[in-house]
Each structure stands twice: as C-alpha cells, then as structure tokens.
Amino acid sequence: MSRAPRAAQLGIIGCHVCGLVCRAPTGDDAACPRCGAALHRRKRDSIGRTWALLAAAFILYIPANVLPIMRTVSLGDIDDNTIISGVVELWVKGSPSLAVIVFTASIVVPMTKFLVLGTLLASTQRRSRWALRQRAKLYRAVEFIGYWSMLDVFVVALLTALVRFGFFSEVEPLPGVVFFGLTVILTMFSSMSFDPRLMWDGPDDD
Amino acid sequence: MTEQNPREDLPEPVVRKHRFSLSLIWLVPALAALVGLSLVVHAWLQAGPEINITFQTAEGLESGKTPVKYKNVVIGKVTGLDLTEDRERVRVTVALNKSAESFATKGTRYWVVRPRIGLGGVSGVDTLLSGAFIGTDVGDSKEEQYEFAGLETPPAVLHGAPGKSFVLHTDDLGSLDTGSPVYYRRIQVGRVSSYTLDKDGKGVSLRIFIDGPNDRFVTRGTRFWNASGVDVSLGANGLKLNTQSLATVIAGGVAFEEPRGPHDATPAPEDADFALFNDEATAMAPPDGPPRYIRMRFNQSLRGLAVDAPVEFLGVNIGKVVSLTMDYDAKHTRFPLTVGAVVYPQRLGNAYDKLAAQAGMKDGRVDLARMFGPLVAHGLRAQARTGNLLTGQLYIALDFVPKAPKASFDLAATPIELPTAPGSFDKLQEQLADIVTKVQKIPFDSIGHNLNQTLADLDRTLKQVNGDVLPELKGTLKGAQRTLGSADNALSADSPLQQNLGGTLEELRRMARSLRALTDYLGVHPEALIRGRPDDPPPAQPERIQPPARQGSKP
C-alpha cells in the first residue's frame, strides 16, 4: 500500500515525554536516552487506566451534583446551592448569561468529556475504523477544554476568599465542591492517560 | 532449524489471558464508589421519618430550605410544599433527622415562627432576616404519627414547662389576647395561653399559665383582675395614676393578688376556675354572690339616671341600674319609667345572712321577695336621688321613707318589683314650687299702690311744714336770740347790775363782820347791854375791823 510505514514496522519508538525517536527496545525496561523516561510503544494499559479514571470521575460526579457546593449567607439568610440550583437561581435572578456560562462549565463540559472519552474508549477497544479523523479531533478538543471545567471551583474559592462580611454576607464552600473538583481532575487524568495512537493501531495491526 | 521453522518445532507458549488482572488504577474508581456509597449510607442513616404538617398558609416557608427547630436546634427540613386536596390548607412535607424520630409522635405541635410584631412585644426578630422556621413542641406520647395540623400561632406554653394553668371566667375579653402577660405584684409570672367563648356565648373563658415556681402564689382565695386600664384616681392626696405597666395599658394584661385579711391560702389546683374582675377595686371587694334582678317603676322624670348608675341600700352600694324602659299608663295618661337593676344582696354582709335566714330559700336561691317584703312593709322605698348636683346625675337609693303611704308588694312576682317614692330631688322641686306659688300670692301690686299713696301724703305734709311752720319757727328763733342777747348784756361783767350786785355783797360782808364783833363783845361783856360800852377803846388791831362793823351797824 501507499500508506506511510508505522513506527513499529520500522522498529523505532518515540519517547512519551521528550519525543526522542530511538530504536525499539528488545526488553521491557527501556529508558529514554535523553530524558530518562520509560519507553513504551504505547502508553501502558491506556484503555484500562482511562476507563478506571473515567469511571471514578463519573461516580464522584454524582455527589458533586447532589451535594451543595456553596453556602451564601446574606443578612442571616442562609442559602445552600447545588450546581443546578445555582444555575437556576442565576437564571431566575436575571443573569441568564452567567447562568449559561456556569451551566456550560459545570454540566455541559464534564458530561461532554464523559461522553466523548467513553465513545473514544469504546470505539478504540472495538478497533473501529469509523470516523477516525473526527475522533482524533474530538480527543484534542477534550484535552483542550479539560482545564476550563474547574470554573466552579474557582468561583467558590474566589468568593469564599473575597466575601467575608460576617453576618451581612458570607460565602462558604460545601462538600460538593470537593467532589466536583475531584471529578474534573479525574477526567483530566483520564484524558491524559488515553493514548490516541491506539485509535489508529486497530485497523492495521491485525 | 529453529529459525526456519519456528512454528512447527517450538512448543506453543502458554498464553495467559489475564483479562481480569486488575491494575492498581482501578483502586481509584473503587475508592470513589466507596466514598459515594458511604455518602448514600450516611444520608440513609441520617434520614428520619417524613411527616406532613398542614398550615393555613405557606408564607415564609421554602422547600428545601426552611428548617424545623426544637429549642433552636435544627431537627429537620422542609422538603416539599403542596396544597391539600381540598385546597383549604398547605401541606408541608418535612424530613426529620434520624435523631428526631421522637418528634413524629402524637402530641407534637408544630407552628411557623415568623416575625410577629404585636402590642405585647416583638417576637421572632431573628426570622426577619433568616426567614421563617417551623417551631416544635414535643409531647409525652410514644404513639407514632406522621400527619399533623400545624398551629397558626405559637403555643403560649411549651410542654413540660413548670407551672400551672388556670381558667378565668369573664364577661368579655377586653384587650386581652393570647400571650398577654399575667402579673403578680407587677412582676410578670405568666401569660394568657388561650381563650374561648363559653358554650352559651355569655362569657369568655381564658386559660392562663403561671410559670413555676410562682404558680404557688395562686391560692384558692386569689383574685384576678384585668389590669389593662389606667386607673386614675383623684383623692385627697392628689392625682394618682395606677397601672401595671405601659405594655398592659396598650396590650392588656391580667394581674392577681390575694385579698387582704384572712383567706384560704392553700395553693389552687391545676385548672382551677376563677373569676376575672374588671379592676382591682372590684376584685378586692368581698365576694358579690350571685346577682339578682329587681325592677322599679317611677312616676317621675328620671333625667340624669343612666345605665350603670349605682343602687344603694342605706348608702351601701349593692348593685347597678341595667335598664331604663318607658311605659304608658293609659288610665292616668302617664309615662311611668321602669328601671331594671342588678343587685348583689350579699354585699349587705351580715345583714344579708340574717335576712336570708328569715326569708328562706326558693328555687335553690334565697327568696328575695320574702326578704324584701317585711322591709317594704316598714317603709322601704326606692328613690331616685341626685348624686351629683353639678351634673344632675341620679342614683337609686333604697331607703326607709318615714310615713310612706302603704304600697302593694307582690311576693310572687318575678322579678320582684320594689315600690318607689318620689325622690329627694323631686321633693325639693315640689317645695320650691310651693314657695314660688306662695310668693306669687303676695299682692305686690296693691302693696306698691298703697306705698305710693303714703309717699304722696308724706310729700304733701312736708310741703306744708316747709311753707307754714318753718317761717314761724324762724321768727321764734330770732326772738329767742334777741332775748338771749339782752340777757347776755345784762349779765356781762361790766354791766351796772353786776357792779351794784358786787357792792351789795360787799356791804353784806361788812355787816356780817360787825355783827360778829358785836356778838363776840357781848359774849365777854354781857353787862354792856345795860351799862353800855366802857370808854377804853378796843386794841388798835381790831380797830381796822371795827369800822366796817360800826359802819355796818349804822344802817
């Protein structure tokens, strides 16, 4: 075929960390001659790890949504908000744009990540050749947006630090925000541990 | 060899398909699952019973936010608000904490604590900002219950609070309300916990709660009165203003105290009944006993007699006027007034006891008619008297009228009707009228006429006196003056009469002297009468005296 040869066919391997191309090692414990990182043809146990982290993130995403993330006290009026109730409150109280942003960052983005990573993993596992390019773009998109879903955590952290007026106004973080932060971190780990090259392996290996 | 045909020579490697060789990474989701599970278990363990409370309104309640508190400790949270099927009330679903299971029992009371600003004070200020919450008071019962009817107002008495409640009976509620304070020596010791209209609608029963340990001050003899008003009394000591507290003036209150003097000092039992008097004075007065109704017919104007005017028996206030109705007597074309009064015969004290013993009982009560009968026979009459000359207010006096005309008294009539006599004011008026008619009978006209004639006669007489008598008198007086003037002239010191008179008198003196000398000489020389006088002259000294005597003897 006129296809470009694969690294494995040429007996070479790329370092995951510094990208140095070396000869494929014969043994198991090979290290990059430049940066010292362990050399693997593919990320080790990528699918399994990604699945595990994704599952953990998903499990933690449930309490993150159920438990309140923030307590606002204004003039003695204590108000506990979960993510969704916060979005609803913002919408009702006349800041729909803010509501959309928070909703996107806290609901849309994590859900998209679960869906996209799940799809990628499933299709990769099945060595599907379906829409490979689009899947690659999807992966890059997930990697990109990953950082931005910490918005809620930032908001809570900032408000907690800034709004401290005792009885008149106070913002307090509640357990939900911890779970939400863990969810975001785990999805990031999950997408990091996924080796997109596996997508391309499938069709040619067997 | 081996290189050429590896597939045939070499043994098949054992391929260990450890598909389930879980890497350590799976500990992460396991841990997450564990955390999630623990949360679920925790929530499940924390979840207590769910109860429904119905309220009139859901004002201030918010689903998922409004807490349920007992002694200010959160024991649950409102999880849902809904209308009842009949749309009459609001059903509030409350998720109680696990630890608050005992609150889902019979006898537990729930109410919404909202800011309440009443005259008696402000309550629930904290809820102004933090929002309403549901208050709880738990009972003793262990019987489970999950449906409750919420109270609309906070209960005045919490379960298990030390103290006692008592029931007060009064005619009307006045300005009292649930929560109105109860004072003992001006210290608040309790409050009104509830009030209900009596079944017959003729009074109000108030339930009050006295906090322990002050409840022991409520004895069987204790008197309660409504301390709502301002008691202003103007006495010899000046103006005196007496109230319990400013709050009671506005919001009302009840005060109690033991009457002075001997009384039953055993503490009253729980739920004992008491009468609530209108003021301290009536509360402290000896007990009135049951009121009795009497009627009186007056054949006179009763201007100034008002409802509530006192009825006095020999000056003792025994009741008050309750009604004034006019009747028409066609025979005499008169308008008699029927005065209805409520009297408390027991206020007569010992007199009542003795009279009652005489009169005996009828229908379970003292026979008032037979009690009054003999008194009426002795001249007891009702009179409308003036109590206040300035305002002309009347009161009814039951007094013995001397020489009263015989009056009929119906022993069987109910209510009894006392005979009346014209009141003192009436008598006064009659006397005045008498005087006026007498004065009118005096013939002022003829008196005036006669007086006029007399005066004219006098005038005439005076004129005569002036014209005739006075000039004559003048002449007479002039004559008299002349006479006096001549007399004056005649008697003046230098007048000849006077001088002659002086000379005459001198001569008389001389004569008297010579007479004495003669008599003296004759006394010594009586012979001289016969012989005459010897020649020897008398001594020289008497010589001077002798010549006048000689001279005098000459004439």
Side-chain angles (χ1 to χ4, degrees):
Chain A
M1 310 258 179
S2 61
R3 224 184 308 159
R6 300 180 145 275
Q9 289 166 346
L10 298 172
I12 55 175
I13 194 169
C15 173
H16 288 304
V17 181
C18 63
L20 179 73
V21 175
C22 5
R23 271 194 304 275
T26 47
D28 272 349
D29 298 323
C32 173
R34 185 162 68 190
C35 68
L39 282 175
H40 305 291
R41 200 176 135 259
R42 295 283 179 265
K43 282 181 184 167
R44 288 190 72 183
D45 199 13
S46 169
I47 303 275
R49 282 181 190 187
T50 311
W51 269 127
L53 291 168
L54 194 64
F58 190 75
I59 290 167
L60 291 179
Y61 190 59
I62 295 165
N65 271 291
V66 171
L67 293 178
I69 60 163
M70 184 166 76
R71 169 172 291 172
T72 50
V73 182
S74 62
L75 288 173
D77 184 9
I78 298 168
D79 212 351
D80 289 357
N81 271 320
T82 58
I83 291 167
I84 286 289
S85 75
V87 170
V88 170
E89 196 160 309
L90 279 175
W91 183 275
V92 169
K93 286 189 176 168
S95 346
S97 47
L98 267 177
V100 167
I101 291 173
V102 175
F103 182 75
T104 312
S106 320
I107 307 286
V108 176
V109 169
M111 290 304 276
T112 315
K113 273 161 102 174
F114 292 134
L115 271 174
V116 168
L117 278 173
T119 316
L120 288 177
L121 280 167
S123 58
T124 310
Q125 228 168 10
R126 284 175 53 232
R127 302 173 177 234
S128 163
R129 294 196 60 191
W130 164 75
L132 276 169
R133 263 180 176 280
Q134 282 81 350
R135 277 156 63 194
K137 277 181 185 166
L138 221 52
Y139 176 72
R140 286 199 285 276
V142 163
E143 280 266 79
F144 175 72
I145 62 172
Y147 314 101
W148 294 98
S149 36
M150 275 298 213
L151 190 77
D152 268 21
V153 182
F154 288 145
V155 167
V156 173
L158 269 174
L159 286 179
T160 304
L162 288 174
V163 186
R164 285 216 168 268
F165 303 110
F167 175 75
F168 300 102
S169 198
E170 191 115 343
V171 175
E172 241 180 279
L174 289 175
V177 80
V178 176
F179 289 101
F180 186 77
L182 283 174
T183 305
V184 174
I185 290 166
L186 284 172
T187 50
M188 278 164 68
F189 281 154
S190 173
S191 69
M192 271 166 68
S193 63
F194 180 66
D195 198 335
R197 287 174 296 190
L198 288 169
M199 288 193 292
W200 307 95
D201 281 348
D204 304 322
D205 274 5
D206 281 317
Chain B
M1 300 191 282
T2 53
E3 284 181 341
Q4 279 171 350
N5 249 337
R7 285 184 189 187
E8 287 164 16
D9 299 343
L10 290 174
E12 276 289 312
V14 180
V15 179
R16 280 192 208 141
K17 285 204 168 181
H18 39 210
R19 283 191 88 87
F20 294 103
S21 66
L22 292 174
S23 67
L24 280 174
I25 198 73
W26 285 98
L27 277 176
V28 177
L31 210 66
L34 208 67
V35 169
L37 205 69
S38 75
L39 284 174
V40 170
V41 169
H42 181 73
W44 185 70
L45 284 176
Q46 280 293 300
E50 191 170 79
I51 58 168
N52 287 315
I53 312 166
T54 58
F55 288 110
Q56 292 265 324
T57 169
E59 185 196 336
L61 300 180
E62 265 183 82
S63 174
K65 202 172 147 189
T66 306
V68 178
K69 292 182 180 179
Y70 178 69
K71 292 183 194 273
N72 238 359
V73 173
V74 177
I75 57 160
K77 201 191 236 182
V78 172
T79 54
L81 291 171
D82 202 1
L83 283 174
T84 53
E85 286 73 21
D86 55 6
R87 289 176 290 181
E88 293 274 305
R89 289 170 78 84
V90 179
R91 180 184 289 119
V92 179
T93 310
V94 170
L96 290 176
N97 293 348
K98 186 79 177 168
S99 57
E101 267 176 330
S102 60
F103 287 84
T105 51
K106 205 172 177 182
T108 307
R109 293 180 289 176
Y110 295 93
W111 65 94
V112 182
V113 180
R114 299 186 181 102
R116 277 171 215 279
I117 300 164
L119 289 168
V122 182
S123 66
V125 180
D126 46 340
T127 61
L128 261 179
L129 300 168
S130 64
F133 64 88
I134 293 178
T136 317
D137 181 36
V138 73
D140 280 333
S141 173
K142 297 268 180 216
E143 199 180 324
E144 287 184 9
Q145 188 182 337
Y146 297 97
E147 299 286 329
F148 295 93
L151 306 177
E152 294 311 316
T153 49
V157 184
L158 294 183
H159 182 84
K164 272 186 208 156
S165 72
F166 302 101
V167 181
L168 304 182
H169 300 283
T170 178
D171 285 345
D172 60 68
L173 188 61
S175 55
L176 298 174
D177 198 358
T178 305
S180 290
V182 177
Y183 293 94
Y184 178 66
R185 300 188 187 280
R186 306 221 179 150
I187 296 169
Q188 192 186 338
V189 293
R191 66 211 80 86
V192 175
S193 55
S194 69
Y195 55 84
T196 50
L197 202 60
D198 285 346
K199 276 196 182 108
D200 57 2
K202 284 185 177 169
V204 178
S205 292
L206 288 150
R207 186 168 281 274
I208 58 162
F209 188 82
I210 310 291
D211 296 318
N214 294 325
D215 56 338
R216 68 176 190 272
F217 297 126
V218 179
T219 62
R220 286 177 197 274
T222 296
R223 308 279 173 79
F224 288 85
W225 71 91
N226 192 330
S228 307
V230 185
D231 181 12
V232 185
S233 56
L234 185 65
N237 300 330
L239 189 71
K240 199 174 156 193
L241 187 82
N242 195 13
T243 68
Q244 287 292 324
S245 75
L246 192 62
T248 49
V249 173
I250 301 163
V254 173
F256 70 88
E257 210 163 299
E258 286 162 354
R260 288 150 197 93
H263 58 268
D264 191 355
T266 44
E270 177 97 28
D271 289 337
D273 290 86
F274 290 95
L276 178 65
F277 295 94
N278 282 333
D279 51 65
E280 187 176 355
T282 43
M284 286 304 169
D288 280 343
R292 305 296 294 265
Y293 186 76
I294 59 168
R295 239 174 23 194
M296 291 151 282
R297 265 164 89 91
F298 286 95
N299 272 319
Q300 65 185 83
S301 161
L302 292 179
R303 186 181 176 279
L305 186 72
V307 168
D308 278 353
V311 175
E312 293 185 357
F313 183 84
L314 300 177
V316 176
N317 186 334
I318 61 159
K320 60 183 181 181
V321 172
V322 291
S323 68
L324 273 169
T325 46
M326 193 175 265
D327 200 0
Y328 177 60
D329 183 355
K331 212 158 77 183
H332 301 98
T333 330
R334 271 181 164 176
F335 293 90
L337 285 154
T338 306
V339 175
V342 161
V343 293
Y344 301 90
Q346 247 166 284
R347 284 190 191 170
L348 296 176
N350 287 344
Y352 171 76
D353 296 339
K354 287 179 182 169
L355 286 169
Q358 268 184 16
M361 305 290 276
K362 183 187 171 191
D363 303 334
R365 301 193 294 182
V366 172
D367 192 345
L368 209 62
R370 288 183 58 160
M371 194 174 119
F372 274 117
L375 299 178
V376 169
H378 277 91
L380 183 77
R381 299 287 185 274
Q383 285 180 314
R385 286 191 190 164
T386 313
N388 187 330
L389 279 172
L390 276 181
T391 55
Q393 277 169 336
L394 297 180
Y395 70 97
I396 302 291
L398 305 181
D399 244 329
F400 291 94
V401 177
K403 284 177 257 168
K406 233 177 148 51
S408 62
F409 182 67
D410 187 0
L411 283 174
T414 26
I416 68 161
E417 194 172 319
L418 285 181
T420 61
S424 59
F425 189 65
D426 229 37
K427 267 187 181 166
L428 197 70
Q429 271 184 331
E430 269 174 28
Q431 282 168 353
L432 267 176
D434 268 5
I435 293 166
V436 168
T437 41
K438 274 175 190 163
V439 167
Q440 271 175 343
K441 278 179 191 160
I442 298 172
F444 282 111
D445 260 11
S446 50
I447 290 173
H449 188 69
N450 287 350
L451 196 67
N452 211 4
Q453 262 184 350
T454 313
L455 284 173
D457 284 354
L458 190 70
D459 193 40
R460 257 203 313 280
T461 313
L462 284 174
K463 265 181 188 156
Q464 212 177 348
V465 166
N466 270 341
D468 305 340
V469 179
L470 283 182
E472 288 295 313
L473 200 65
K474 207 171 162 189
T476 311
L477 283 173
K478 269 182 184 160
Q481 199 174 22
R482 259 203 309 276
T483 312
L484 284 173
S486 51
D488 197 31
N489 284 341
L491 292 172
S492 65
D494 52 349
S495 68
L497 180 69
Q498 188 83 1
Q499 278 173 355
N500 288 344
L501 208 62
T504 310
L505 285 173
E506 191 68 24
E507 283 299 314
L508 268 176
R509 199 167 66 204
R510 269 188 217 142
M511 195 177 77
R513 201 180 292 153
S514 60
L515 266 178
R516 192 168 62 215
L518 177 68
T519 52
D520 287 348
Y521 188 77
L522 283 178
V524 179
H525 306 282
E527 74 274 10
L529 275 174
I530 305 158
R531 291 176 184 184
R533 215 175 151 190
D535 292 339
D536 52 6
Q541 208 176 13
E543 211 185 338
R544 265 199 289 168
I545 307 163
Q546 267 175 344
R550 250 183 267 166
Q551 278 173 352
S553 63
K554 267 180 199 173

